[in-house]
Every structure is written in structure tokens, then in C-alpha cells.
Amino acid sequence: MQLANTDVTYGTITKTFHWLIALLILTNIPLAWLGENLPDQTSQDIARLSVIWSTHKTIGVAVFFVALLRILWALTQPKPAPVHPDRRAETLLAETIHWCLYAALVVVPLSGWIGHAASQGYAPIWWPFGQSLPLVPRSDAVEEAAKLTHWLFTWILIVSLGLHIAGALKHALIDRDSTLSRMWFGRADLGRIAPAEHPGAAMLLAATIYVFGGVSVLALAYEPVEAPEVAEAAPAAATGGNWQVESGDIGITVQQMGSAIQGGFADWTAEIDFTEEVQDGTHGTVTVEIDIPSLTLGSVTSQALGPDYFAANDHPVAVYEATILPAEDGYLAEGTLSLAGQESQVDLPFTLTIDGDTATMNGTTTLDRRNFGIGDNQTDPSTLGFTVDVDIAVTATRAD
């Protein structure tokens, strides 16, 4: 068994790398197609897609490391001479495609991995590492740039792979030479292959293709900054009562496939009647109306708004009505949450700091999605956790 390359043929290690990468790539491309085209409306759909995308991502990380090893091995080995060095255009095209494939086998999985690490998404990588990457923040901008890079260079990979396969078939079926057989295992009839130099222009052409691809990514990702329209300032959430909300956030965290996914509601209103002194055993009342379609929840936003979860089309507004009670460590909002057509008691402990006419409130609570019929078909908490953490921060001023 010949492990290393020679001037005329490939060794067993190179062949193993070649066919292993081919198997992984030809498995992963159909998985991506399925992930993009299968329905994602029901909980069963999402569970199936989660498995598909986890498999795709896990194989992608494997491709990245195998490709790195393949490239490092190639740098230590002689490259067999072209079978037909006299066919200069054909040889140049073949070499260019090889360099495009080498680069794509690094850029495509790496950009996908970066997009995963930057996202608030689901479908974890199944290797015991890789959910995050050093120097890659959780960022929508980074995620979108990585996804765009992944999409563009995947097409470069697919085109290069198609040309590579077409060339191999041409050599096998039309030329009937040893090009394909010398990459297969066992002894091949190589005929007479004279050592020859490889065209240096091939690397330059491949680099040009990738520079063009990089410029295309930058052009597609660039969004010109438009001058903001001058408008009358408005509070973050319009309110009634004797306190006016100036700013605030309602955030949620869910657990899906072992990963924490964070999101929140952009549009909501609050009517707050609050007195610092206890009157009839309470500090007042609060009513919050939440616009459910304003939810963002990473890459699963559209699924979360679907009929099996928040059912935003049928129940576009959630309402929380509570009485504000004194508590040992602050305050307690004790009330009822109407969500997705169901009602359940929800208690929200919170702290409150009042400085003159400005109040700052922070509170956290945990909901059980089953109390609201959300994701009833997802009965395994390792797939979709039963609990949902809610974090609320509000700054309000006394109303005139």
C-alpha cells in the first residue's frame, strides 16, 4: 500500500481524504436543501428540521477539520503530473477548479459555523464543542454577514464540484484515461505520464474568483445609512395611569435542543397606577398589553409565531392584569396573564428604585408554556423546555 503521493499518482492517504470529503459534501448539500424546503409550521415540522440542521451543521464542522488536514497533507506531498499536460486550457481549468474547491471546503463550513455561533438559533452542533467561537459575538449583523458568505460560497462550491465531477466523467467515459482510476484505491494502469509543471495561473484565477465573491458579499451586505426622519419623540410604550413609561424591555429566554434562545417583544403598552404608600393593602395596579407579532426570537421567530406556539394570527395580543403588593424584598405583581387564548396566574416579583419623579423597575419570573397550550405537541423538555424565563426592565416618570 502506497501511502504518499508520487509524481504520477496519489497515495492512499490523499485518496482517503478525497473520498471522505466527497461523501460528507454530497450528504450535506441535500440536507441543506431539505432544511430550506421542508415545511416549518407545526411542532413536528420543527422537530424534524432541528434534526436535519443539527446533522448538517455537525457534518459541516467535520468537513472543515478534514479539509484542513487534507490541505496540510497536500502541502507536504508532490502533486501528480496532469495526464494530458499538452492540453493547456483543460489543465488550467482543472487546476483552477481544484483551488476553488480547496478554498470552498474551508470558507463554506467556517462561515456556517460563524453564523451558528453568532445566532440566537436552534439545532445545536452535536460535537462536544462549537456552540460558540472565540471572537464571534452574538450579533444579528455578524450572523447575516456569515449567512450571506455561506450562501454565496456554497454556490461556488456547488459549481466547482459539478465541473469537477463532469471533468472526471469526461476522462473516464470519453478520454478513457487514468485520471479517475489513479484517484481510486488499488493499482491503476497509468500508461505513460511524464512529469510536468502545474500552471501557476490556476491559483491566481481561483483567487480572483474568491476576491470577486468577497466583494459581492460586501456589496450585498452594505446598507446605506439613510438620514433619519425628524419626528416628534414618543415614549417607548404608550401608557395610562399615574406613571408614564419612558423606556423598557420585555425579554424571554427559551431552551430548545439544549440551547438558550433569547428574544423579546418590541411593542407593548402599560397602564400603571402606583402609589409609594400602601393603600388598602396594595400599591396599585398594572395592565400590560403585548403585541405578539412584534416578537423576535432568533432564527425561530416565524415558527414561534405559528399556530402551535404563540398563534399570533388568532391571538395577536397578550394581556397581563395584576395588583401590586408589598413584598419582603421589594414588590410583587400578582395577576393573570391571557396568552394564546389561555389564562393563567402569573406572579412577578420585582425591585423598584424611585429617584424624584423617575422610577426604575426590574423583575423576573418563570412561566410554564404548557399553562397556555404553547407547543403542546412538544412533550420532551430536552427538545423544547417547559419553562420560559421572562425579564422585564422599565423606566417610568410620574405623569402630570
Side-chain angles (χ1 to χ4, degrees), residues 23-32 34-35 47-63 109 116 122-127 131 257:
L23 176 63
L24 293 173
I25 290 296
L26 293 176
T27 299
N28 232 18
I29 291 175
L31 285 174
L34 289 173
R48 179 176 60 233
L49 287 172
S50 180
V51 172
I52 289 173
W53 283 119
S54 283
T55 305
H56 176 80
K57 294 175 184 180
T58 303
I59 292 175
V61 172
V63 169
H116 171 83
Y122 74 128
I125 295 170
W126 287 333
W127 296 111
Q131 306 310 324
M257 301 294 290

PDB file of all heavy atoms in Angstrom, residues 23-32 34-35 47-63 109 116 122-127 131 257:
ATOM      1  N   LEU A  23     -17.890  12.228   0.261  1.00  0.00           N
ATOM      2  CA  LEU A  23     -19.051  11.633   0.925  1.00  0.00           C
ATOM      3  C   LEU A  23     -19.744  12.647   1.835  1.00  0.00           C
ATOM      4  O   LEU A  23     -20.982  12.768   1.830  1.00  0.00           O
ATOM      5  CB  LEU A  23     -18.609  10.410   1.734  1.00  0.00           C
ATOM      6  CG  LEU A  23     -19.692   9.727   2.579  1.00  0.00           C
ATOM      7  CD1 LEU A  23     -20.797   9.168   1.691  1.00  0.00           C
ATOM      8  CD2 LEU A  23     -19.081   8.620   3.437  1.00  0.00           C
ATOM      9  N   LEU A  24     -18.959  13.393   2.611  1.00  0.00           N
ATOM     10  CA  LEU A  24     -19.539  14.372   3.534  1.00  0.00           C
ATOM     11  C   LEU A  24     -20.257  15.492   2.778  1.00  0.00           C
ATOM     12  O   LEU A  24     -21.374  15.885   3.140  1.00  0.00           O
ATOM     13  CB  LEU A  24     -18.440  14.959   4.429  1.00  0.00           C
ATOM     14  CG  LEU A  24     -17.781  13.992   5.420  1.00  0.00           C
ATOM     15  CD1 LEU A  24     -16.606  14.670   6.123  1.00  0.00           C
ATOM     16  CD2 LEU A  24     -18.789  13.484   6.446  1.00  0.00           C
ATOM     17  N   ILE A  25     -19.623  16.000   1.725  1.00  0.00           N
ATOM     18  CA  ILE A  25     -20.222  17.103   0.964  1.00  0.00           C
ATOM     19  C   ILE A  25     -21.493  16.651   0.257  1.00  0.00           C
ATOM     20  O   ILE A  25     -22.527  17.343   0.275  1.00  0.00           O
ATOM     21  CB  ILE A  25     -19.213  17.657  -0.057  1.00  0.00           C
ATOM     22  CG1 ILE A  25     -18.089  18.402   0.660  1.00  0.00           C
ATOM     23  CG2 ILE A  25     -19.907  18.596  -1.047  1.00  0.00           C
ATOM     24  CD1 ILE A  25     -18.533  19.629   1.400  1.00  0.00           C
ATOM     25  N   LEU A  26     -21.450  15.483  -0.375  1.00  0.00           N
ATOM     26  CA  LEU A  26     -22.619  15.004  -1.114  1.00  0.00           C
ATOM     27  C   LEU A  26     -23.749  14.574  -0.183  1.00  0.00           C
ATOM     28  O   LEU A  26     -24.882  14.398  -0.632  1.00  0.00           O
ATOM     29  CB  LEU A  26     -22.216  13.850  -2.032  1.00  0.00           C
ATOM     30  CG  LEU A  26     -21.275  14.250  -3.176  1.00  0.00           C
ATOM     31  CD1 LEU A  26     -20.859  13.031  -3.981  1.00  0.00           C
ATOM     32  CD2 LEU A  26     -21.934  15.295  -4.081  1.00  0.00           C
ATOM     33  N   THR A  27     -23.455  14.408   1.093  1.00  0.00           N
ATOM     34  CA  THR A  27     -24.505  14.192   2.090  1.00  0.00           C
ATOM     35  C   THR A  27     -25.067  15.518   2.576  1.00  0.00           C
ATOM     36  O   THR A  27     -26.280  15.675   2.761  1.00  0.00           O
ATOM     37  CB  THR A  27     -23.948  13.401   3.291  1.00  0.00           C
ATOM     38  OG1 THR A  27     -23.477  12.128   2.843  1.00  0.00           O
ATOM     39  CG2 THR A  27     -25.030  13.191   4.351  1.00  0.00           C
ATOM     40  N   ASN A  28     -24.191  16.495   2.746  1.00  0.00           N
ATOM     41  CA  ASN A  28     -24.597  17.748   3.378  1.00  0.00           C
ATOM     42  C   ASN A  28     -25.405  18.665   2.462  1.00  0.00           C
ATOM     43  O   ASN A  28     -26.287  19.387   2.927  1.00  0.00           O
ATOM     44  CB  ASN A  28     -23.365  18.498   3.892  1.00  0.00           C
ATOM     45  CG  ASN A  28     -23.514  18.882   5.344  1.00  0.00           C
ATOM     46  OD1 ASN A  28     -24.347  18.321   6.052  1.00  0.00           O
ATOM     47  ND2 ASN A  28     -22.726  19.831   5.807  1.00  0.00           N
ATOM     48  N   ILE A  29     -25.106  18.659   1.184  1.00  0.00           N
ATOM     49  CA  ILE A  29     -25.851  19.533   0.264  1.00  0.00           C
ATOM     50  C   ILE A  29     -27.334  19.161   0.225  1.00  0.00           C
ATOM     51  O   ILE A  29     -28.202  20.040   0.348  1.00  0.00           O
ATOM     52  CB  ILE A  29     -25.211  19.516  -1.137  1.00  0.00           C
ATOM     53  CG1 ILE A  29     -23.851  20.227  -1.092  1.00  0.00           C
ATOM     54  CG2 ILE A  29     -26.124  20.188  -2.162  1.00  0.00           C
ATOM     55  CD1 ILE A  29     -23.071  20.157  -2.397  1.00  0.00           C
ATOM     56  N   PRO A  30     -27.701  17.883   0.081  1.00  0.00           N
ATOM     57  CA  PRO A  30     -29.136  17.547   0.134  1.00  0.00           C
ATOM     58  C   PRO A  30     -29.779  17.873   1.481  1.00  0.00           C
ATOM     59  O   PRO A  30     -30.954  18.254   1.531  1.00  0.00           O
ATOM     60  CB  PRO A  30     -29.158  16.037  -0.138  1.00  0.00           C
ATOM     61  CG  PRO A  30     -27.894  15.758  -0.871  1.00  0.00           C
ATOM     62  CD  PRO A  30     -26.892  16.713  -0.303  1.00  0.00           C
ATOM     63  N   LEU A  31     -29.030  17.729   2.578  1.00  0.00           N
ATOM     64  CA  LEU A  31     -29.586  18.081   3.883  1.00  0.00           C
ATOM     65  C   LEU A  31     -29.947  19.563   3.936  1.00  0.00           C
ATOM     66  O   LEU A  31     -30.998  19.939   4.469  1.00  0.00           O
ATOM     67  CB  LEU A  31     -28.587  17.742   4.992  1.00  0.00           C
ATOM     68  CG  LEU A  31     -28.429  16.265   5.354  1.00  0.00           C
ATOM     69  CD1 LEU A  31     -27.302  16.092   6.367  1.00  0.00           C
ATOM     70  CD2 LEU A  31     -29.729  15.699   5.914  1.00  0.00           C
ATOM     71  N   ALA A  32     -29.076  20.415   3.389  1.00  0.00           N
ATOM     72  CA  ALA A  32     -29.369  21.848   3.366  1.00  0.00           C
ATOM     73  C   ALA A  32     -30.602  22.130   2.514  1.00  0.00           C
ATOM     74  O   ALA A  32     -31.443  22.972   2.870  1.00  0.00           O
ATOM     75  CB  ALA A  32     -28.165  22.623   2.839  1.00  0.00           C
ATOM     76  N   LEU A  34     -33.133  20.121   1.983  1.00  0.00           N
ATOM     77  CA  LEU A  34     -34.300  19.701   2.760  1.00  0.00           C
ATOM     78  C   LEU A  34     -34.627  20.726   3.841  1.00  0.00           C
ATOM     79  O   LEU A  34     -35.792  21.077   4.063  1.00  0.00           O
ATOM     80  CB  LEU A  34     -34.039  18.334   3.395  1.00  0.00           C
ATOM     81  CG  LEU A  34     -34.013  17.132   2.451  1.00  0.00           C
ATOM     82  CD1 LEU A  34     -33.562  15.886   3.205  1.00  0.00           C
ATOM     83  CD2 LEU A  34     -35.378  16.905   1.822  1.00  0.00           C
ATOM     84  N   GLY A  35     -33.591  21.217   4.529  1.00  0.00           N
ATOM     85  CA  GLY A  35     -33.819  22.197   5.585  1.00  0.00           C
ATOM     86  C   GLY A  35     -34.456  23.476   5.079  1.00  0.00           C
ATOM     87  O   GLY A  35     -35.246  24.112   5.785  1.00  0.00           O
ATOM     88  N   ALA A  47     -39.370  19.904  14.859  1.00  0.00           N
ATOM     89  CA  ALA A  47     -38.521  18.850  15.423  1.00  0.00           C
ATOM     90  C   ALA A  47     -37.718  18.157  14.320  1.00  0.00           C
ATOM     91  O   ALA A  47     -36.528  17.870  14.483  1.00  0.00           O
ATOM     92  CB  ALA A  47     -39.381  17.838  16.172  1.00  0.00           C
ATOM     93  N   ARG A  48     -38.380  17.901  13.181  1.00  0.00           N
ATOM     94  CA  ARG A  48     -37.683  17.265  12.057  1.00  0.00           C
ATOM     95  C   ARG A  48     -36.599  18.179  11.503  1.00  0.00           C
ATOM     96  O   ARG A  48     -35.467  17.743  11.246  1.00  0.00           O
ATOM     97  CB  ARG A  48     -38.687  16.910  10.964  1.00  0.00           C
ATOM     98  CG  ARG A  48     -38.045  16.263   9.733  1.00  0.00           C
ATOM     99  CD  ARG A  48     -39.086  15.837   8.716  1.00  0.00           C
ATOM    100  NE  ARG A  48     -39.871  16.973   8.265  1.00  0.00           N
ATOM    101  CZ  ARG A  48     -41.196  17.014   8.282  1.00  0.00           C
ATOM    102  NH1 ARG A  48     -41.885  15.991   8.741  1.00  0.00           N
ATOM    103  NH2 ARG A  48     -41.841  18.080   7.842  1.00  0.00           N
ATOM    104  N   LEU A  49     -36.931  19.462  11.335  1.00  0.00           N
ATOM    105  CA  LEU A  49     -35.945  20.404  10.813  1.00  0.00           C
ATOM    106  C   LEU A  49     -34.771  20.576  11.766  1.00  0.00           C
ATOM    107  O   LEU A  49     -33.630  20.759  11.328  1.00  0.00           O
ATOM    108  CB  LEU A  49     -36.609  21.755  10.550  1.00  0.00           C
ATOM    109  CG  LEU A  49     -37.534  21.825   9.338  1.00  0.00           C
ATOM    110  CD1 LEU A  49     -38.267  23.154   9.309  1.00  0.00           C
ATOM    111  CD2 LEU A  49     -36.749  21.626   8.051  1.00  0.00           C
ATOM    112  N   SER A  50     -35.048  20.525  13.058  1.00  0.00           N
ATOM    113  CA  SER A  50     -33.963  20.660  14.031  1.00  0.00           C
ATOM    114  C   SER A  50     -32.949  19.537  13.870  1.00  0.00           C
ATOM    115  O   SER A  50     -31.732  19.764  13.906  1.00  0.00           O
ATOM    116  CB  SER A  50     -34.533  20.667  15.449  1.00  0.00           C
ATOM    117  OG  SER A  50     -33.502  20.790  16.399  1.00  0.00           O
ATOM    118  N   VAL A  51     -33.440  18.315  13.663  1.00  0.00           N
ATOM    119  CA  VAL A  51     -32.533  17.178  13.461  1.00  0.00           C
ATOM    120  C   VAL A  51     -31.755  17.349  12.157  1.00  0.00           C
ATOM    121  O   VAL A  51     -30.537  17.109  12.095  1.00  0.00           O
ATOM    122  CB  VAL A  51     -33.326  15.855  13.455  1.00  0.00           C
ATOM    123  CG1 VAL A  51     -32.426  14.691  13.051  1.00  0.00           C
ATOM    124  CG2 VAL A  51     -33.933  15.596  14.825  1.00  0.00           C
ATOM    125  N   ILE A  52     -32.454  17.786  11.102  1.00  0.00           N
ATOM    126  CA  ILE A  52     -31.793  17.968   9.804  1.00  0.00           C
ATOM    127  C   ILE A  52     -30.686  19.012   9.907  1.00  0.00           C
ATOM    128  O   ILE A  52     -29.549  18.795   9.451  1.00  0.00           O
ATOM    129  CB  ILE A  52     -32.824  18.367   8.732  1.00  0.00           C
ATOM    130  CG1 ILE A  52     -33.717  17.175   8.394  1.00  0.00           C
ATOM    131  CG2 ILE A  52     -32.129  18.889   7.466  1.00  0.00           C
ATOM    132  CD1 ILE A  52     -34.872  17.510   7.476  1.00  0.00           C
ATOM    133  N   TRP A  53     -31.001  20.168  10.520  1.00  0.00           N
ATOM    134  CA  TRP A  53     -29.998  21.232  10.596  1.00  0.00           C
ATOM    135  C   TRP A  53     -28.867  20.874  11.558  1.00  0.00           C
ATOM    136  O   TRP A  53     -27.707  21.238  11.313  1.00  0.00           O
ATOM    137  CB  TRP A  53     -30.649  22.551  11.000  1.00  0.00           C
ATOM    138  CG  TRP A  53     -31.377  23.219   9.877  1.00  0.00           C
ATOM    139  CD1 TRP A  53     -32.702  23.519   9.814  1.00  0.00           C
ATOM    140  CD2 TRP A  53     -30.818  23.661   8.632  1.00  0.00           C
ATOM    141  NE1 TRP A  53     -33.012  24.119   8.622  1.00  0.00           N
ATOM    142  CE2 TRP A  53     -31.875  24.223   7.875  1.00  0.00           C
ATOM    143  CE3 TRP A  53     -29.544  23.635   8.082  1.00  0.00           C
ATOM    144  CZ2 TRP A  53     -31.680  24.755   6.601  1.00  0.00           C
ATOM    145  CZ3 TRP A  53     -29.349  24.164   6.814  1.00  0.00           C
ATOM    146  CH2 TRP A  53     -30.399  24.713   6.089  1.00  0.00           C
ATOM    147  N   SER A  54     -29.171  20.178  12.646  1.00  0.00           N
ATOM    148  CA  SER A  54     -28.088  19.742  13.538  1.00  0.00           C
ATOM    149  C   SER A  54     -27.148  18.788  12.813  1.00  0.00           C
ATOM    150  O   SER A  54     -25.922  18.867  12.957  1.00  0.00           O
ATOM    151  CB  SER A  54     -28.667  19.072  14.788  1.00  0.00           C
ATOM    152  OG  SER A  54     -29.174  20.021  15.694  1.00  0.00           O
ATOM    153  N   THR A  55     -27.723  17.869  12.030  1.00  0.00           N
ATOM    154  CA  THR A  55     -26.892  16.945  11.250  1.00  0.00           C
ATOM    155  C   THR A  55     -26.049  17.712  10.242  1.00  0.00           C
ATOM    156  O   THR A  55     -24.844  17.455  10.088  1.00  0.00           O
ATOM    157  CB  THR A  55     -27.778  15.922  10.522  1.00  0.00           C
ATOM    158  OG1 THR A  55     -28.617  15.254  11.467  1.00  0.00           O
ATOM    159  CG2 THR A  55     -26.932  14.895   9.792  1.00  0.00           C
ATOM    160  N   HIS A  56     -26.676  18.669   9.559  1.00  0.00           N
ATOM    161  CA  HIS A  56     -25.963  19.480   8.558  1.00  0.00           C
ATOM    162  C   HIS A  56     -24.802  20.241   9.198  1.00  0.00           C
ATOM    163  O   HIS A  56     -23.679  20.249   8.669  1.00  0.00           O
ATOM    164  CB  HIS A  56     -26.951  20.453   7.913  1.00  0.00           C
ATOM    165  CG  HIS A  56     -26.326  21.405   6.945  1.00  0.00           C
ATOM    166  ND1 HIS A  56     -26.020  21.064   5.645  1.00  0.00           N
ATOM    167  CD2 HIS A  56     -25.935  22.709   7.090  1.00  0.00           C
ATOM    168  CE1 HIS A  56     -25.475  22.102   5.030  1.00  0.00           C
ATOM    169  NE2 HIS A  56     -25.412  23.109   5.881  1.00  0.00           N
ATOM    170  N   LYS A  57     -25.058  20.882  10.330  1.00  0.00           N
ATOM    171  CA  LYS A  57     -24.013  21.666  10.990  1.00  0.00           C
ATOM    172  C   LYS A  57     -22.888  20.770  11.504  1.00  0.00           C
ATOM    173  O   LYS A  57     -21.699  21.116  11.402  1.00  0.00           O
ATOM    174  CB  LYS A  57     -24.613  22.461  12.146  1.00  0.00           C
ATOM    175  CG  LYS A  57     -25.597  23.539  11.715  1.00  0.00           C
ATOM    176  CD  LYS A  57     -26.239  24.189  12.934  1.00  0.00           C
ATOM    177  CE  LYS A  57     -27.293  25.205  12.549  1.00  0.00           C
ATOM    178  NZ  LYS A  57     -27.918  25.840  13.735  1.00  0.00           N
ATOM    179  N   THR A  58     -23.257  19.624  12.067  1.00  0.00           N
ATOM    180  CA  THR A  58     -22.250  18.709  12.611  1.00  0.00           C
ATOM    181  C   THR A  58     -21.354  18.173  11.502  1.00  0.00           C
ATOM    182  O   THR A  58     -20.124  18.112  11.652  1.00  0.00           O
ATOM    183  CB  THR A  58     -22.944  17.553  13.353  1.00  0.00           C
ATOM    184  OG1 THR A  58     -23.786  18.096  14.384  1.00  0.00           O
ATOM    185  CG2 THR A  58     -21.926  16.617  13.975  1.00  0.00           C
ATOM    186  N   ILE A  59     -21.957  17.795  10.379  1.00  0.00           N
ATOM    187  CA  ILE A  59     -21.158  17.339   9.237  1.00  0.00           C
ATOM    188  C   ILE A  59     -20.298  18.482   8.708  1.00  0.00           C
ATOM    189  O   ILE A  59     -19.133  18.285   8.332  1.00  0.00           O
ATOM    190  CB  ILE A  59     -22.076  16.788   8.132  1.00  0.00           C
ATOM    191  CG1 ILE A  59     -22.736  15.486   8.598  1.00  0.00           C
ATOM    192  CG2 ILE A  59     -21.290  16.544   6.842  1.00  0.00           C
ATOM    193  CD1 ILE A  59     -23.750  14.923   7.616  1.00  0.00           C
ATOM    194  N   GLY A  60     -20.852  19.699   8.689  1.00  0.00           N
ATOM    195  CA  GLY A  60     -20.091  20.848   8.205  1.00  0.00           C
ATOM    196  C   GLY A  60     -18.829  21.091   9.010  1.00  0.00           C
ATOM    197  O   GLY A  60     -17.760  21.369   8.442  1.00  0.00           O
ATOM    198  N   VAL A  61     -18.928  20.991  10.333  1.00  0.00           N
ATOM    199  CA  VAL A  61     -17.735  21.156  11.170  1.00  0.00           C
ATOM    200  C   VAL A  61     -16.724  20.051  10.872  1.00  0.00           C
ATOM    201  O   VAL A  61     -15.509  20.292  10.813  1.00  0.00           O
ATOM    202  CB  VAL A  61     -18.121  21.165  12.661  1.00  0.00           C
ATOM    203  CG1 VAL A  61     -16.882  21.149  13.546  1.00  0.00           C
ATOM    204  CG2 VAL A  61     -18.968  22.398  12.981  1.00  0.00           C
ATOM    205  N   ALA A  62     -17.228  18.831  10.654  1.00  0.00           N
ATOM    206  CA  ALA A  62     -16.328  17.726  10.296  1.00  0.00           C
ATOM    207  C   ALA A  62     -15.624  18.011   8.972  1.00  0.00           C
ATOM    208  O   ALA A  62     -14.415  17.767   8.829  1.00  0.00           O
ATOM    209  CB  ALA A  62     -17.117  16.423  10.214  1.00  0.00           C
ATOM    210  N   VAL A  63     -16.366  18.543   7.995  1.00  0.00           N
ATOM    211  CA  VAL A  63     -15.762  18.890   6.701  1.00  0.00           C
ATOM    212  C   VAL A  63     -14.643  19.901   6.897  1.00  0.00           C
ATOM    213  O   VAL A  63     -13.566  19.791   6.283  1.00  0.00           O
ATOM    214  CB  VAL A  63     -16.829  19.450   5.737  1.00  0.00           C
ATOM    215  CG1 VAL A  63     -16.171  20.060   4.500  1.00  0.00           C
ATOM    216  CG2 VAL A  63     -17.800  18.359   5.323  1.00  0.00           C
ATOM    217  N   PRO A 109     -17.829  25.808   5.323  1.00  0.00           N
ATOM    218  CA  PRO A 109     -18.164  25.360   6.685  1.00  0.00           C
ATOM    219  C   PRO A 109     -17.807  26.380   7.759  1.00  0.00           C
ATOM    220  O   PRO A 109     -18.522  26.499   8.759  1.00  0.00           O
ATOM    221  CB  PRO A 109     -17.363  24.064   6.846  1.00  0.00           C
ATOM    222  CG  PRO A 109     -16.284  24.126   5.834  1.00  0.00           C
ATOM    223  CD  PRO A 109     -16.837  24.912   4.689  1.00  0.00           C
ATOM    224  N   HIS A 116     -23.698  30.191  12.984  1.00  0.00           N
ATOM    225  CA  HIS A 116     -24.324  29.471  14.106  1.00  0.00           C
ATOM    226  C   HIS A 116     -23.916  30.088  15.436  1.00  0.00           C
ATOM    227  O   HIS A 116     -24.755  30.309  16.312  1.00  0.00           O
ATOM    228  CB  HIS A 116     -23.907  28.001  14.056  1.00  0.00           C
ATOM    229  CG  HIS A 116     -24.314  27.212  15.264  1.00  0.00           C
ATOM    230  ND1 HIS A 116     -25.573  26.663  15.406  1.00  0.00           N
ATOM    231  CD2 HIS A 116     -23.641  26.893  16.402  1.00  0.00           C
ATOM    232  CE1 HIS A 116     -25.650  26.033  16.566  1.00  0.00           C
ATOM    233  NE2 HIS A 116     -24.492  26.159  17.189  1.00  0.00           N
ATOM    234  N   TYR A 122     -31.506  27.648  16.867  1.00  0.00           N
ATOM    235  CA  TYR A 122     -31.740  26.319  17.407  1.00  0.00           C
ATOM    236  C   TYR A 122     -30.882  25.333  16.627  1.00  0.00           C
ATOM    237  O   TYR A 122     -29.998  25.729  15.878  1.00  0.00           O
ATOM    238  CB  TYR A 122     -33.221  25.967  17.327  1.00  0.00           C
ATOM    239  CG  TYR A 122     -33.740  25.645  15.947  1.00  0.00           C
ATOM    240  CD1 TYR A 122     -34.444  24.480  15.715  1.00  0.00           C
ATOM    241  CD2 TYR A 122     -33.531  26.506  14.875  1.00  0.00           C
ATOM    242  CE1 TYR A 122     -34.940  24.177  14.462  1.00  0.00           C
ATOM    243  CE2 TYR A 122     -34.019  26.215  13.621  1.00  0.00           C
ATOM    244  CZ  TYR A 122     -34.722  25.050  13.415  1.00  0.00           C
ATOM    245  OH  TYR A 122     -35.198  24.765  12.171  1.00  0.00           O
ATOM    246  N   ALA A 123     -31.137  24.041  16.802  1.00  0.00           N
ATOM    247  CA  ALA A 123     -30.394  22.991  16.113  1.00  0.00           C
ATOM    248  C   ALA A 123     -28.909  23.052  16.466  1.00  0.00           C
ATOM    249  O   ALA A 123     -28.086  23.535  15.687  1.00  0.00           O
ATOM    250  CB  ALA A 123     -30.593  23.086  14.600  1.00  0.00           C
ATOM    251  N   PRO A 124     -28.540  22.569  17.643  1.00  0.00           N
ATOM    252  CA  PRO A 124     -27.138  22.657  18.067  1.00  0.00           C
ATOM    253  C   PRO A 124     -26.233  21.726  17.274  1.00  0.00           C
ATOM    254  O   PRO A 124     -26.673  20.731  16.691  1.00  0.00           O
ATOM    255  CB  PRO A 124     -27.198  22.227  19.542  1.00  0.00           C
ATOM    256  CG  PRO A 124     -28.390  21.329  19.613  1.00  0.00           C
ATOM    257  CD  PRO A 124     -29.390  21.916  18.654  1.00  0.00           C
ATOM    258  N   ILE A 125     -24.960  22.070  17.251  1.00  0.00           N
ATOM    259  CA  ILE A 125     -23.940  21.179  16.701  1.00  0.00           C
ATOM    260  C   ILE A 125     -23.753  20.030  17.687  1.00  0.00           C
ATOM    261  O   ILE A 125     -23.696  20.238  18.897  1.00  0.00           O
ATOM    262  CB  ILE A 125     -22.626  21.950  16.492  1.00  0.00           C
ATOM    263  CG1 ILE A 125     -22.824  23.028  15.414  1.00  0.00           C
ATOM    264  CG2 ILE A 125     -21.487  21.016  16.115  1.00  0.00           C
ATOM    265  CD1 ILE A 125     -21.672  24.004  15.307  1.00  0.00           C
ATOM    266  N   TRP A 126     -23.651  18.812  17.183  1.00  0.00           N
ATOM    267  CA  TRP A 126     -23.602  17.646  18.066  1.00  0.00           C
ATOM    268  C   TRP A 126     -22.200  17.286  18.538  1.00  0.00           C
ATOM    269  O   TRP A 126     -22.042  16.373  19.346  1.00  0.00           O
ATOM    270  CB  TRP A 126     -24.246  16.444  17.373  1.00  0.00           C
ATOM    271  CG  TRP A 126     -25.744  16.556  17.301  1.00  0.00           C
ATOM    272  CD1 TRP A 126     -26.550  17.243  18.157  1.00  0.00           C
ATOM    273  CD2 TRP A 126     -26.603  15.965  16.331  1.00  0.00           C
ATOM    274  NE1 TRP A 126     -27.864  17.126  17.784  1.00  0.00           N
ATOM    275  CE2 TRP A 126     -27.927  16.344  16.656  1.00  0.00           C
ATOM    276  CE3 TRP A 126     -26.391  15.167  15.212  1.00  0.00           C
ATOM    277  CZ2 TRP A 126     -29.026  15.937  15.913  1.00  0.00           C
ATOM    278  CZ3 TRP A 126     -27.486  14.762  14.468  1.00  0.00           C
ATOM    279  CH2 TRP A 126     -28.787  15.141  14.816  1.00  0.00           C
ATOM    280  N   TRP A 127     -21.188  17.954  18.021  1.00  0.00           N
ATOM    281  CA  TRP A 127     -19.866  17.760  18.601  1.00  0.00           C
ATOM    282  C   TRP A 127     -19.863  18.372  20.007  1.00  0.00           C
ATOM    283  O   TRP A 127     -20.632  19.290  20.283  1.00  0.00           O
ATOM    284  CB  TRP A 127     -18.790  18.434  17.748  1.00  0.00           C
ATOM    285  CG  TRP A 127     -18.641  17.858  16.375  1.00  0.00           C
ATOM    286  CD1 TRP A 127     -18.964  18.467  15.198  1.00  0.00           C
ATOM    287  CD2 TRP A 127     -18.143  16.565  16.023  1.00  0.00           C
ATOM    288  NE1 TRP A 127     -18.709  17.641  14.134  1.00  0.00           N
ATOM    289  CE2 TRP A 127     -18.196  16.453  14.617  1.00  0.00           C
ATOM    290  CE3 TRP A 127     -17.657  15.481  16.763  1.00  0.00           C
ATOM    291  CZ2 TRP A 127     -17.791  15.320  13.935  1.00  0.00           C
ATOM    292  CZ3 TRP A 127     -17.247  14.347  16.078  1.00  0.00           C
ATOM    293  CH2 TRP A 127     -17.312  14.271  14.692  1.00  0.00           C
ATOM    294  N   GLN A 131     -20.618  25.400  19.962  1.00  0.00           N
ATOM    295  CA  GLN A 131     -21.819  26.230  20.011  1.00  0.00           C
ATOM    296  C   GLN A 131     -21.462  27.711  19.965  1.00  0.00           C
ATOM    297  O   GLN A 131     -22.262  28.541  19.541  1.00  0.00           O
ATOM    298  CB  GLN A 131     -22.628  25.921  21.275  1.00  0.00           C
ATOM    299  CG  GLN A 131     -22.980  24.457  21.465  1.00  0.00           C
ATOM    300  CD  GLN A 131     -23.612  23.811  20.238  1.00  0.00           C
ATOM    301  OE1 GLN A 131     -24.376  24.445  19.519  1.00  0.00           O
ATOM    302  NE2 GLN A 131     -23.280  22.552  19.987  1.00  0.00           N
ATOM    303  N   MET A 257     -33.449  22.302  22.253  1.00  0.00           N
ATOM    304  CA  MET A 257     -32.370  21.379  21.912  1.00  0.00           C
ATOM    305  C   MET A 257     -31.109  21.681  22.722  1.00  0.00           C
ATOM    306  O   MET A 257     -29.993  21.616  22.222  1.00  0.00           O
ATOM    307  CB  MET A 257     -32.069  21.448  20.418  1.00  0.00           C
ATOM    308  CG  MET A 257     -33.240  21.122  19.520  1.00  0.00           C
ATOM    309  SD  MET A 257     -33.793  19.406  19.653  1.00  0.00           S
ATOM    310  CE  MET A 257     -32.425  18.548  18.891  1.00  0.00           C
TER     311      MET A 257
END
